[in-house]
Amino acid sequence: MSRLRAAAVRGLRRQRRGSGSAAPNGRSSRAPARPHALHLFGDPVEIDALRGRLLAWYDKSRRDLPWRTLAAAELDADRRAYAVWVSEIMLQQTQVATVIDYYNRWMQKWPTLQALAAASLEEVNELWAGLGYYSRGKRLQEAARKVVSELAGRMPRTAEDLQRLLPGVGRYTAGAIASISFGQATGVVDGNVIRVLCRLRCIGADTSSLAVIDCLWDMANTLVDRSRPGDFNQALMELGATVCTPKSPLCRECPVKEHCHAWRRVEKELASASQKLFGKTTLVPDVEDCGPGGCPLCLPAAEPWDSSLGVTNFPRKAAKKQPRVEWTATCVLERRGRLGAPEYLIVQRPSSGLLAGLWEFPSLPLAPGLQEEQQKEVLADHLRAWTRQPVQTQSLCFIGEVVHIFSHIHQTYVVYSLCLDGDVALDAASSPSRWVTEEEFRASAVSTAMKKVLKARETQRGVQSGRAKGSKRKRESKLGAAGSTPTGMQLSLRAFLRAQPPP
């Protein structure tokens, strides 16, 4: 029995012996229950075997990703750390397939910390537009400027210093940069790693709790390979992303299934079911269990093991908080440009809060329960402040509703359009604003939600154009029926051959 396992068992024995004691104030003095050895990695032989199998699989099966290629080829430690840093920030809450194009364009535009530090926030927002969680780009640039101005362009070399000195760099990002770029033997814990570790050690407790997260970090630091920490951490994340997936995991292809307690439980249940099917009486040993109650990492008693779920019993997640519902009135305000093409008014959002610093069509929050006429009234008042001229509610044309889901907000944009005649002088005292063509709009730092709004307006314009053409055809048809032939309209063969009246 390993020392770690023995220590865990001794701790459980002490807890059981002291279960009846009470503190003078009437509360139990019993210390919080310690994790059972089932949930721990304590055997050095097993740890070495797991490391070897996982790294061998990674060397053979890892995906070819631009940040990995760049980090492997870059000899300068600071540039290597910057390349890893950018990828880790972009990959937060965003899929790899989405990130690749953004990453390549970013590194082409700003290949060094110094180049990023010299850029404007407007440029950063423009390139980040569509990637979501827009504050990430802003914080990344702020931290890059700090490295250049206060740290002489030299990246901190340890996870502890990275987290302490750089704004926006948390424990995971610091661990990833330090292990991949500088070879520090420190673990990482992200969503993929949480899923892998929970299945390897049957951790069914709420993974959002601080105690469980601390346990997972301890486990990651125990497992990380000392000679190849960066590769090991990437291998663990790669395993979670491609094999040990949230749904339909590829367990039979997993390189470390021999170390997986969840897999072992599934296999033993299948063996037991097979014996019963063929009428055999040989007993299959029960899966190792923690015993009754007290373990802080087991599945909760109210949500026991479900055989139909298999390894996806782990991890269990707390109920997701429902996003709050918000409504916003938005107006696509347009005028005819110098070349005849429409131009749109966009305004800049505040420098803090949701979608900070991005550009949008003039918008304002709507109070719940407003009817359409009331929505038009508050929107017209808002537009008067921008255009400094009267805006009649009847001139606002309803386009429709555009729904966009942020991480914590279910946002519905109630969209109207308004076409202005002639030049319009904008209020310089208001937030920054400008007129842009459609091409300029798409190149600006605008959110995906605003792109949806413009698409709704273009769809409306197409419908209106189709109706106008249909009305024209109807008018021409009526004229033809009256015996006249409009200019440009071709006569039918019957009309052409019809006898003409004598002169």
Side-chain angles (χ1 to χ4, degrees):
M1 182 180 290
S2 70
R3 286 178 294 175
L4 190 57
R5 180 186 290 263
V9 171
R10 287 196 299 271
L12 287 173
R13 287 172 180 167
R14 283 196 296 271
Q15 292 165 22
R16 288 167 185 158
R17 285 198 299 268
S19 60
S21 61
N25 60 6
R27 295 181 180 177
S28 173
S29 61
R30 182 173 56 187
R34 295 186 181 182
H36 190 276
L38 168 71
H39 303 298
L40 304 175
F41 282 96
D43 183 357
V45 174
E46 182 189 17
I47 291 173
D48 285 343
L50 185 149
R51 289 170 178 167
R53 285 170 175 153
L54 185 59
L55 285 170
W57 169 82
Y58 180 68
D59 290 340
K60 180 181 178 181
S61 305
R62 63 183 168 192
R63 291 170 293 177
D64 183 16
L65 300 173
W67 43 90
R68 290 177 179 167
T69 303
L70 202 149
E74 182 56 66
L75 298 179
D76 183 274
D78 293 303
R79 294 186 67 156
R80 181 169 64 246
Y82 169 65
V84 173
W85 183 14
V86 172
S87 71
E88 292 299 339
I89 296 298
M90 286 188 171
L91 287 165
Q92 292 171 7
Q93 305 293 324
T94 310
Q95 294 182 348
V96 167
T98 302
V99 168
I100 290 175
D101 180 57
Y102 281 89
Y103 182 82
N104 288 334
R105 288 189 287 117
W106 182 287
M107 296 306 295
Q108 184 176 9
K109 190 175 182 68
W110 302 302
T112 64
L113 282 161
Q114 291 75 11
L116 176 59
S120 68
L121 180 58
E122 179 72 12
E123 290 177 298
V124 171
N125 284 337
E126 285 177 1
L127 198 150
W128 201 277
L131 195 56
Y133 300 93
Y134 296 91
S135 61
R136 292 180 296 168
K138 179 182 178 182
R139 289 198 302 267
L140 178 56
Q141 188 193 37
E142 289 173 350
R145 286 177 171 173
K146 181 174 182 179
V147 173
V148 172
S149 62
E150 299 181 23
L151 303 178
R154 188 175 189 272
M155 289 282 290
R157 262 37 181 184
T158 67
E160 295 75 18
D161 285 345
L162 284 161
Q163 189 175 355
R164 179 173 58 88
L165 296 174
L166 301 186
V169 173
R171 189 176 181 182
Y172 161 77
T173 304
I177 297 172
S179 62
I180 298 170
S181 304
F182 304 123
Q184 182 184 359
T186 184
V188 297
V189 173
D190 73 343
N192 286 319
V193 173
I194 287 173
R195 184 166 56 257
V196 171
L197 295 181
C198 284
R199 290 174 181 172
L200 285 173
R201 284 303 182 258
C202 286
I203 297 175
D206 179 8
T207 55
S208 65
S209 76
L210 183 60
V212 175
I213 288 296
D214 284 343
C215 179
L216 292 170
W217 272 102
D218 289 342
M219 194 179 298
N221 285 323
T222 297
L223 291 177
V224 65
D225 188 87
R226 270 48 187 172
S227 61
R228 297 177 61 188
D231 284 342
F232 181 86
N233 286 335
Q234 290 183 90
L236 204 56
M237 292 185 282
E238 186 87 343
L239 185 69
T242 62
V243 175
C244 194
T245 52
K247 299 177 180 179
S248 304
L250 307 174
C251 292
R252 297 195 179 277
E253 299 178 18
C254 178
V256 294
K257 59 179 177 290
E258 290 84 357
H259 307 279
C260 182
H261 288 178
W263 166 255
R264 188 181 306 164
R265 180 162 187 168
V266 170
E267 287 294 286
K268 288 186 176 181
E269 285 193 349
L270 289 174
S272 178
S274 176
Q275 288 185 355
K276 290 179 181 178
L277 180 63
F278 291 101
K280 295 183 179 180
T281 57
T282 305
L283 294 177
V284 177
D286 289 337
V287 178
E288 184 180 358
D289 203 351
C290 290
C295 178
L297 296 181
C298 276
L299 288 166
E303 301 176 53
W305 169 271
D306 182 346
S307 296
S308 67
L309 296 177
V311 301
T312 61
N313 274 280
F314 309 101
R316 293 286 175 89
K317 293 184 179 180
K320 192 173 182 180
K321 186 178 179 181
Q322 290 298 313
R324 69 176 186 267
V325 176
E326 293 187 0
W327 293 74
T328 297
T330 299
C331 184
V332 181
L333 195 62
E334 61 183 84
R335 70 180 184 183
R336 191 60 54 188
R338 284 172 294 181
L339 300 178
E343 293 182 343
Y344 305 101
L345 177 66
I346 56 174
V347 299
Q348 193 168 32
R349 291 182 60 84
S351 59
S352 61
L354 182 69
L355 305 176
L358 297 190
W359 294 82
E360 65 180 4
F361 296 113
S363 305
L364 81 160
L366 288 174
L370 291 182
Q371 300 300 314
E372 183 174 340
E373 281 305 312
Q374 295 171 310
Q375 293 174 0
K376 285 185 174 182
E377 288 173 4
V378 296
L379 183 57
D381 288 338
H382 183 66
L383 294 174
R384 290 185 195 109
W386 285 104
T387 62
R388 294 193 295 182
Q389 68 181 40
V391 176
Q392 304 300 323
T393 58
Q394 58 267 28
S395 61
L396 291 170
C397 179
F398 177 69
I399 294 178
E401 294 179 354
V402 171
V403 176
H404 189 77
I405 309 297
F406 297 95
S407 59
H408 57 297
I409 300 173
H410 184 286
Q411 178 69 261
T412 300
Y413 294 93
V414 184
V415 186
Y416 294 86
S417 64
L418 176 62
C419 297
L420 299 177
D421 295 326
D423 195 17
V424 179
L426 301 176
D427 186 1
S430 300
S431 299
S433 58
R434 66 177 191 259
W435 291 97
V436 294
T437 63
E438 179 183 342
E439 183 178 357
E440 291 168 338
F441 174 88
R442 298 190 184 283
S444 299
V446 295
S447 67
T448 301
M450 287 299 110
K451 292 177 181 177
K452 290 181 181 179
V453 169
L454 180 60
K455 185 176 181 180
R457 169 56 181 148
E458 291 172 338
T459 300
Q460 181 201 46
R461 185 184 288 114
V463 170
Q464 291 173 337
S465 175
R467 287 174 180 168
K469 290 178 180 178
S471 298
K472 181 179 179 181
R473 284 193 294 268
K474 289 180 180 178
R475 289 195 300 271
E476 291 174 344
S477 176
K478 289 179 180 179
L479 288 171
S484 59
T485 305
T487 303
M489 185 175 182
Q490 186 175 3
L491 289 171
S492 67
L493 181 61
R494 182 187 297 273
F496 180 78
L497 295 176
R498 189 170 52 202
Q500 299 296 318

